[in-house]
Amino acid sequence: MDFGKAFTYVFEDPDWVRKLGIGTLLMLLGILFSWLIIGLIPLIIILGYTVDVVRNVMNGERHPLPEWQDWGGFFNRGLKLFIAFFVWALPIIIVLIPVMIGGALTDSNRDLGGMEAIGILLTICGSCLMLLWSLVLTLFTPAIYVRFASTGRLSSAFEFGKLWGFTQRNLGDVIVSIILVLLAGLIAAVAGMLGFVALLIGALITIPAASLWQYLVQSHLFGQIGAKDRASVLGEIDLS
């Protein structure tokens, strides 16, 4: 895999300024309206856009960044992937409830030893389960992306056997890619904060642009893993 390529390919596109400009505007709208349901729409569109980046990398496209044309397709694919990750994250959300109850018992019942012990137990056990499931979901994320980009089917995000097989075959690349995505996130955070040097108006550009760039780095890395493992998904690409 060409790990360095994932960090630079965006800027090799002849039309990268316009493509990133549109994506940055969408990201900004999503951030500004994140407190409203409508704020999900631009973020879902970006999610669908990253699916196409994954597919284009798998297909060996010289310039994987798609044109901002298939808006309905971006939204459709992004919505499916959003639903997939939401369902995968449900165990974490469910376990969060007893963790919150445990925290409340621990904080408000320090004079009741039994209740405090139960609260501590709920907090520790729940936190461990959340951490474990978060790790599983993190390791499966490249497989979910690649399987969905390859098939276009929401159900492909829940084919545990195929997801496990993909992750097992490419475990080394998956782990390295996850680490690099975290690195890209750190770079994006630093770049985003630099916007405050140019006052708030600068941050309104650098933060969404850096966040978008991190997503695009991630998509390229996942697409490279999918390209290496292409034999397992050959003939399944259908994003119509």
Side-chain angles (χ1 to χ4, degrees):
M1 288 180 59
D2 188 349
F3 297 113
K5 185 77 169 180
F7 289 81
T8 61
Y9 80 98
V10 169
F11 309 106
E12 297 171 2
D13 191 300
D15 205 16
W16 71 269
V17 174
R18 183 179 63 84
K19 291 180 180 179
L20 261 64
I22 295 174
T24 297
L25 178 59
L26 287 171
M27 185 68 74
L28 177 60
L29 291 174
I31 294 174
L32 292 178
F33 295 98
S34 59
W35 55 285
L36 296 172
I37 294 296
I38 195 174
L40 286 175
I41 294 177
L43 298 179
I44 286 174
I45 291 174
I46 289 175
L47 195 59
Y49 188 84
T50 63
V51 171
D52 281 21
V53 173
V54 173
R55 181 189 61 179
N56 289 345
V57 173
M58 291 175 62
N59 287 341
E61 298 284 345
R62 182 180 179 186
H63 300 301
L65 291 181
E67 289 290 341
W68 286 100
Q69 295 177 341
D70 186 17
W71 293 92
F74 292 149
F75 181 80
N76 180 50
R77 292 186 282 281
L79 182 60
K80 288 181 180 179
L81 194 58
F82 176 83
I83 293 172
F85 279 113
F86 179 79
V87 173
W88 271 97
L90 276 178
I92 298 175
I93 299 173
I94 294 172
V95 173
L96 181 61
I97 297 174
V99 170
M100 295 174 63
I101 294 174
L105 290 174
T106 302
D107 291 339
S108 62
N109 293 282
R110 293 189 180 280
D111 58 328
L112 300 176
M115 295 301 292
E116 183 182 359
I118 293 175
I120 293 174
L121 183 62
L122 284 173
T123 302
I124 294 176
C125 292
S127 298
C128 289
L129 288 173
M130 289 174 62
L131 179 61
L132 179 61
W133 190 253
S134 296
L135 178 60
V136 171
L137 179 54
T138 299
L139 289 175
F140 271 25
T141 293
I144 293 171
Y145 253 98
V146 170
R147 291 293 307 169
F148 178 69
S150 301
T151 66
R153 294 184 290 103
L154 177 59
S155 60
S156 66
F158 306 106
E159 295 171 343
F160 185 85
K162 293 180 179 179
L163 296 175
W164 169 249
F166 178 94
T167 303
Q168 198 174 30
R169 288 191 302 272
N170 303 282
L171 185 58
D173 289 331
V174 166
I175 293 175
V176 172
S177 294
I178 290 171
I179 293 174
L180 290 177
V181 169
L182 294 176
L183 175 61
L186 178 61
I187 296 173
V190 173
M193 291 302 102
L194 288 177
F196 284 109
V197 176
L199 302 179
L200 181 60
I201 188 65
L204 289 176
I205 297 174
T206 58
I207 291 178
S211 299
L212 174 66
W213 173 76
Q214 181 188 5
Y215 274 110
L216 296 176
V217 170
Q218 171 182 276
S219 301
H220 197 281
L221 289 168
F222 293 172
Q224 287 192 60
I225 299 175
K228 284 184 62 178
D229 199 70
R230 194 171 179 80
S232 66
V233 294
L234 193 62
E236 295 184 42
I237 296 178
D238 180 11
L239 293 180
S240 58

